[in-house]
Amino acid sequence: MEILVLAKQVPETAEADLEITRDGADVEREDLVYTINEWDNYAVEEAVRLKEEHGGAVTVLTLGDEEAEDVLRRGLAMGCDQAIHLNDEAFLGSDPATVVRAMVKALGGRRFDLILCGVQSADQGQGQTGVLLAQALGLPYASLAVGLKLVEGGLVITRELEANTLEEVALPLPALVTVQSGLNQPRYVSIMGIRKVRGMAIEGHDAEGLDLAGQVGPEAACLAARRLSLPETGAGAEILSGSLEAVCARAAGIIREKGGLK
Amino acid sequence: MPARIPFWNIEAAWVFYLLAALALALFGLGLALNLARWRPGFAWGGFRAARLKAVLADALLGRRIWRGDVAAGLMHALILLGFLGLFLGTCLVALDHYLVSFLQGRLYLATSALWEVCGLALTIGLAWALVRRYLLRVPRLERRPADALLPAWLLAIALSGFLVEAARIAASGADWERWSFLGWGLSGLFGPASAPAAHAVLWWVHAGLSLGLIAWLPYSRLFHALAAPVNLYFQDEPQALADLSLPPDQVREFSHRHFLALDACTRCGRCVEACPSARAGEPLAPRGFVQDARRYTRLKYSLLARIPWLRQRQRQELSTRPTIDPAQAWYCTTCAACAEVCPVQAGPIELIRQVRSSLVEQGSTVPPLLAQSLERLAKYQNPWLAKKGQKAAWAKGLDLPDLAKGDQAGLLYFVGCTTSLDTRAQGLAKGLSAVLEHCGVEFGTLGKAEPCCGDIARRVGENGLFEEQREDLSGLLADIGVREVVTSSPHCHRSLSHDYALARVRDGLAGPLPFRARHYSQVLAELVDQGRLVFPDGLAVKATFHDPCYLARHTGEVRAPRRVLGAIPGLELVEMADHGRNGLCCGGGGGRMWHELPGQGHLARARLEQAVATGASLVVTACPLCLIMLEDARKAGGFEDRLAVRDLNEVVCLALGLEGGANPF
Ligand code: SF4
Ligand code: SF4
């Protein structure tokens, strides 16, 4: 089985103290650490597991600058066989449709039985790349997968819907699936593991090589970030202060009052 | 003239030679199979007298066996010396028979008497071994059928030997045979008429059993008799440090040192009794782990697998038979209690580290929380917070020189991740800063730029990360020109001194490390010795000291913290049941601070129970991890009214009346 998996490099923001840049259009990236988009990590793991179980090969693809290569090396260390890097500063700030156009060009007619990617990215969170790519390649797709089973003639996907509902859908192959977090338990990637794949070749493409010069990046995007802001502390929030004991007692009291403790 | 007539009364001696040849062939094959496993990577490294001395003391005299268990030491000494005596005796007889004849007259009589003593020692030792195992039922000994076989076999050889002798004496009746006093005493069992026939039968039984033992030896647990001395000889050679010069795909799962240690294990179970994890009822079984690894590696690296049809069988067995249980490896706290008590230096700590390395590299069975901590460690240089720049927050307002920013000071205080970031452990950092300042010691830190020393990565088997962090920190220290380092944590201290030095040797660099790293307790003890740290006022409290494993065992430092506590007037120091090099681990080492495991035991609670039993009201320790673990157990285990837990620095501050995060107890 030939699998393609899309992976994006994003800044880790979950526990960082974010600051907005002076022009208000981005966050300060100086102190941020970059890593693979969490959802894509599940997708890579799933792809590698499918390969380990059923044979075949996995190709991992990313779009970004030079630094984004880390994501590909990580994917190779996890067990992917090939890597494609749409490597150009010019790609940064592109909208999802442009990203997909570039990917389709770079793939140049290559066929895969299955394409996996995260349901969304941690930085932009638009959740469009996967489904747009399915459209562009004319593939059936399922989104929000929390379960994936290979069966005779295709896939059975468990999708996570609102309010704890799960939906099972069947898809013929080839297909594209966007992956929700929690689909599996991604493996740890050791530094030695990454060192081992240091020498593996990576297929590179830039905007010019794909005949996309001038048609990518913020200028070509159909949307632009104007102003970012951090959420204000709302009126409903109450900051407890005092000794540890007092804070804990007050917190327990509130939980009890609101019916959280019976 | 008194002398031994070999093959007296024995017909068809050629049968004996045939059997002997067969036994030796099997012995040789077994030996070759074992040596083949030891060979790759094996380096003799030249003769070293100190190593030989260690072998003589530990193997021949059984120094490590006597230690802590005199009854076992006696048993082993009787068996070993009896066996060796008889073995040498047999060699002498052979020499006498085949080469030069010298065993005659008085010399022969004296030797015979000595053999009797050896035989007696062997018999008593074996009987004692069986009594310990089956009547006294010493808990750490196993009682599987196979465990009775070896001593019973040896006993049968010894007893049949005496009977052969008795029958011979009964048949020949020479008066000088009195020298073989036991055989002489037993000769009454045989009538003169039946003696020759009985002698022949017993002789063959004795010969058969003895040859059988030789053939079986390299395959049995008795092989420790050969492997243990070799392992002890190489005990100072490190078992594992990732060999970075090899291409990654040629890195072997285990090194020759692991194989040697596995073959040396005698299944004595001392590690089981000492292991804090096993004691707390966790799934880790140190002896079982060693034995599983032994079985697995014997199969996997067998020379016989070169033969195609045996390779088939090997593959099959490897895939069906249970092998090493990787889940167990995560429970080890790397406390080194097993290494401390193991008589043959085969305790599984290094083996476990090696298995962890394989698991980390493979990736999918690393416990999720640990994986998360490791990722943080790589990205943020600490396993605690996903934030850079928090490392210096504890020192706000202290105005310490920042050596990374070019400030000068003769001593670098390497604070460490846990001490700088955990609110409880920060008491240690504040305390030490106050004490050093009080004594007029100039020191600085690396401030925000302080990276992780690599201890956690190394203990959990993330070798690549350890190497990266070691390179970063070594580079930083070299740039600044640091010569003296003091650490909060015995863990950082162990990495900086021992593991960095190992890497230096591995990388072929000459000379010692460019800096000397010490644990803070050693610096404080020196200040006490120099009269710079004195306690005008006392501190009336009954205290007990919890030895951090990385200080007491890994570094061998048990004196320094006691020296400091002993200098405080009014402080009465009492010891717990397990203390010093035999201290009981709090459960925080080896990466366990940073993850949770199914069926996790209450290691620190067990330790506090020992502390309560001393009647002390204060537990002092000298490690941030111990401090956190014991403090948590104190709160969770209901010890709050009975015990206080403090870092040594906090106690010193209190005795001096200094501010330093020290609360009275
Ligand atoms: S590893 Fe050492 S202590 Fe443990 S059973 Fe083997 S010989 Fe005994
Ligand atoms: S190092 Fe400590 S925890 Fe690990 S096996 Fe040895 S005794 Fe047990």
Side-chain angles (χ1 to χ4, degrees):
Chain A
M1 187 148 110
E2 294 295 313
I3 305 175
L4 174 71
V5 47
L6 312 182
K8 180 179 185 185
Q9 191 179 48
V10 297
E12 218 171 65
T13 52
E15 290 173 79
D17 294 320
L18 285 184
E19 277 172 51
I20 308 291
T21 51
R22 230 182 285 127
D23 66 2
D26 201 353
V27 291
E28 281 292 357
R29 291 169 181 261
E30 186 80 350
D31 268 348
L32 294 178
V33 167
Y34 283 75
T35 183
I36 183 171
N37 176 36
E38 181 191 343
W39 288 271
D40 295 341
N41 197 26
Y42 290 99
V44 176
E45 174 68 29
E46 196 65 20
V48 173
R49 285 191 192 189
L50 284 171
K51 177 190 92 165
E52 283 168 353
E53 205 171 318
H54 303 286
V58 179
T59 303
V60 55
L61 179 151
T62 197
L63 174 142
D65 57 7
E66 202 61 48
E67 298 287 305
E69 187 183 314
D70 288 351
V71 167
L72 297 179
R73 294 275 170 222
R74 199 175 182 285
L76 291 170
M78 282 173 87
C80 296
D81 306 274
Q82 274 143 34
I84 305 175
H85 191 174
L86 279 71
N87 179 0
D88 201 328
E89 301 246 338
F91 288 133
L92 301 182
S94 300
D95 62 21
T98 314
V99 167
V100 165
R101 211 171 298 130
M103 284 181 185
V104 172
K105 282 210 160 187
L107 290 176
R110 274 177 276 195
R111 292 268 153 228
F112 295 91
D113 301 305
L114 178 62
I115 301 177
L116 292 173
C117 66
V119 81
Q120 60 187 340
S121 61
D123 54 354
Q124 298 294 335
Q126 291 166 334
Q128 295 185 26
T129 308
V131 288
L132 286 178
L133 183 64
Q135 282 294 330
L137 296 174
L139 294 176
Y141 73 88
S143 57
L144 293 159
V146 289
L148 187 154
K149 245 190 345 236
L150 204 59
V151 294
E152 198 54 43
L155 288 172
V156 173
I157 302 293
T158 311
R159 302 182 62 232
E160 185 183 50
L161 304 183
E162 292 294 301
N164 274 334
T165 349
L166 295 179
E167 179 190 60
E168 247 181 35
V169 296
L171 285 180
L173 289 175
L176 184 145
V177 176
T178 72
V179 166
Q180 179 62 297
S181 63
L183 174 66
N184 48 43
Q185 176 66 55
R187 64 196 67 191
Y188 176 72
V189 185
S190 73
I191 305 283
M192 283 294 199
I194 291 178
R195 280 193 189 191
K196 274 189 195 176
V197 297
R198 209 164 27 188
M200 278 174 83
I202 288 177
E203 175 186 326
H205 299 277
D206 58 10
E208 211 172 290
L210 296 176
D211 270 341
L212 287 171
Q215 303 171 49
V216 295
E219 279 68 49
C222 60
L223 50 91
R226 295 255 180 272
R227 202 178 71 85
L228 290 182
S229 62
L230 294 172
E232 304 262 314
T233 313
E238 182 184 349
I239 307 287
L240 303 178
S241 60
S243 73
L244 187 62
E245 280 76 18
V247 169
C248 291
R250 181 77 194 104
I254 296 174
I255 294 171
R256 204 171 288 121
E257 269 165 40
K258 308 256 176 199
L261 259 181
K262 295 206 173 84
Chain B
M1 189 158 42
R4 172 73 72 93
I5 307 164
F7 298 107
W8 174 81
N9 190 33
I10 299 303
E11 282 167 37
W14 62 270
V15 177
F16 173 80
Y17 286 116
L18 192 71
L19 288 176
L22 193 66
L24 283 176
L26 284 170
F27 176 83
L29 175 67
L31 193 64
L33 289 178
N34 291 327
L35 292 183
R37 253 178 299 111
W38 300 356
R39 215 179 63 96
F42 184 88
W44 165 239
F47 172 76
R48 286 194 222 154
R51 285 180 164 185
L52 188 65
K53 236 171 88 186
V55 177
L56 290 179
D58 289 341
L60 203 59
L61 302 179
R63 179 173 58 181
R64 297 179 66 90
I65 310 175
W66 290 95
R67 197 185 290 161
D69 196 342
V70 176
L74 186 67
M75 175 224 47
H76 189 264
L78 285 173
I79 296 178
L80 173 66
L81 298 177
F83 187 89
L84 271 186
L86 291 172
F87 177 71
L88 284 179
T90 312
C91 292
L92 286 184
V93 171
L95 195 67
D96 179 71
H97 178 56
Y98 298 109
L99 288 175
V100 276
S101 146
F102 61 96
L103 273 182
Q104 290 158 356
R106 285 212 183 143
L107 183 62
Y108 175 69
L109 293 179
T111 331
S112 331
L114 215 57
W115 288 338
E116 299 293 288
V117 175
C118 290
L120 194 63
L122 179 63
T123 311
I124 296 175
L126 288 166
W128 178 226
L130 287 165
V131 166
R132 275 167 53 77
R133 196 177 289 265
Y134 292 101
L135 293 181
L136 301 177
R137 303 188 79 78
V138 173
R140 66 176 162 88
L141 301 178
E142 297 165 295
R143 278 168 281 276
R144 308 160 308 148
D147 296 312
L149 188 59
L150 186 61
W153 192 310
L154 282 165
L155 198 59
I157 292 178
L159 293 178
S160 62
F162 280 126
L163 289 176
V164 174
E165 189 181 53
R168 187 191 72 221
I169 293 172
S172 73
D175 206 38
W176 48 261
E177 293 272 29
R178 277 173 196 281
W179 284 84
S180 302
F181 52 90
L182 269 167
W184 181 267
L186 290 172
S187 62
L189 291 177
F190 303 94
S194 64
H199 172 265
V201 171
L202 285 165
W203 190 94
W204 280 110
V205 169
H206 182 64
L209 285 171
S210 305
L211 292 176
L213 185 76
I214 292 174
W216 185 37
L217 189 138
Y219 310 94
S220 77
R221 174 210 254 171
L222 194 58
F223 187 61
H224 84 264
L226 300 180
V230 183
N231 190 51
L232 286 166
Y233 184 84
F234 289 104
Q235 60 180 280
D236 59 347
E237 188 190 359
Q239 287 195 17
L241 199 64
D243 187 350
L244 301 177
S245 60
L246 284 176
D249 52 322
Q250 277 175 33
V251 175
R252 286 169 62 96
E253 209 180 352
F254 297 100
S255 79
H256 65 286
R257 290 285 289 114
H258 297 115
F259 295 132
L260 262 177
L262 290 178
D263 284 336
C265 172
T266 64
R267 309 186 74 121
C268 72
R270 290 183 192 222
C271 50
V272 181
E273 270 189 343
C275 175
S277 170
R279 275 165 80 162
E282 295 183 339
L284 171 59
R287 167 175 52 198
F289 199 85
V290 170
Q291 287 302 319
D292 288 348
R294 181 167 184 263
R295 252 194 314 277
Y296 167 73
T297 52
R298 284 193 156 212
L299 192 60
K300 176 144 185 210
Y301 299 98
S302 172
L303 201 60
L304 293 177
R306 302 228 176 125
I307 305 168
W309 63 271
L310 281 176
R311 181 159 51 238
Q312 280 287 323
R313 273 201 43 192
Q314 178 216 32
R315 291 245 169 92
Q316 217 168 25
E317 278 206 47
L318 274 177
S319 63
T320 53
R321 274 221 307 212
T323 56
I324 307 172
D325 174 13
Q328 281 189 28
W330 301 114
Y331 289 86
C332 173
T333 69
T334 66
C335 73
C338 52
E340 184 69 24
V341 296
C342 178
V344 295
Q345 298 280 21
I349 174 168
E350 275 300 323
L351 174 74
I352 289 176
R353 222 197 59 80
Q354 191 58 28
V355 169
R356 286 179 172 184
S357 307
S358 303
L359 297 176
V360 164
E361 198 127 315
Q362 193 271 336
S364 50
T365 55
V366 179
L369 270 178
L370 182 64
Q372 191 188 5
S373 302
L374 284 174
E375 273 159 19
R376 281 197 176 150
L377 207 47
K379 289 178 200 150
Y380 303 102
Q381 294 295 318
N382 80 75
W384 295 99
L385 291 172
K387 278 176 198 163
K388 290 180 171 176
Q390 284 289 320
K391 263 201 167 157
W394 68 271
K396 218 179 234 164
L398 289 183
D399 209 19
L400 302 176
D402 188 335
L403 304 192
K405 287 194 179 146
D407 298 346
Q408 299 289 322
L411 176 67
L412 167 68
Y413 172 27
F414 187 85
V415 190
C417 321
T418 302
T419 312
S420 35
L421 295 170
D422 179 87
T423 39
R424 178 65 191 92
Q426 282 170 356
L428 190 167
K430 292 177 190 160
L432 179 60
S433 305
V435 177
L436 289 178
E437 196 180 335
H438 171 82
C439 296
V441 178
E442 267 186 24
F443 71 98
T445 66
L446 296 176
K448 264 193 200 178
E450 183 187 282
C452 176
C453 65
D455 166 74
I456 303 165
R458 170 129 174 90
R459 308 305 155 204
V460 300
E462 219 315 2
N463 298 327
L465 184 56
F466 167 72
E467 294 297 341
E468 274 192 13
Q469 294 182 323
R470 183 186 61 78
E471 279 163 26
D472 284 354
L473 180 55
S474 303
L476 185 59
L477 296 183
D479 287 348
I480 303 174
V482 171
R483 307 198 58 85
E484 284 286 334
V485 182
V486 57
T487 70
S488 313
S489 173
H491 296 258
C492 305
H493 167 252
R494 173 72 175 171
S495 294
L496 283 171
S497 49
H498 181 256
D499 298 294
Y500 281 33
L502 282 186
R504 217 180 145 76
V505 173
R506 177 204 57 199
D507 298 343
L509 296 172
L513 289 166
F515 55 84
R516 172 175 72 153
R518 286 188 295 168
H519 179 248
Y520 79 77
S521 65
Q522 297 172 316
V523 173
L524 295 192
E526 188 184 73
L527 290 169
V528 170
D529 287 339
Q530 292 170 344
R532 293 169 69 189
L533 179 55
V534 282
F535 299 91
D537 304 316
L539 194 65
V541 65
K542 191 167 173 185
T544 185
F545 184 68
H546 165 75
D547 289 274
C549 303
Y550 274 73
L551 190 62
R553 271 192 290 270
H554 286 274
T555 304
E557 180 62 82
V558 298
R559 188 200 78 101
R562 289 179 173 78
R563 173 83 179 105
V564 178
L565 288 173
I568 303 177
L571 187 145
E572 183 195 347
L573 184 66
V574 286
E575 297 290 2
M576 286 184 260
D578 298 314
H579 62 271
R581 292 191 69 117
N582 290 317
L584 179 60
C585 177
C586 71
R592 284 200 51 179
M593 179 65 96
W594 294 280
H595 58 120
E596 266 165 42
L597 293 165
Q600 184 161 296
H602 299 289
L603 278 66
R605 209 175 281 184
R607 188 52 166 164
L608 288 186
E609 269 151 24
Q610 288 196 341
V612 167
T614 63
S617 59
L618 171 66
V619 183
V620 186
T621 188
C623 165
L625 303 186
C626 296
L627 189 61
I628 297 171
M629 294 305 284
L630 295 176
E631 189 73 71
D632 285 354
R634 188 182 78 94
K635 289 182 183 145
F639 293 93
E640 275 155 304
D641 307 335
R642 289 177 284 171
L643 286 174
V645 175
R646 291 287 178 274
D647 171 66
L648 177 60
N649 285 302
E650 294 174 329
V651 176
V652 169
C653 281
L654 209 65
L656 292 172
L658 296 175
E659 294 255 342
N663 301 311
F665 3 94

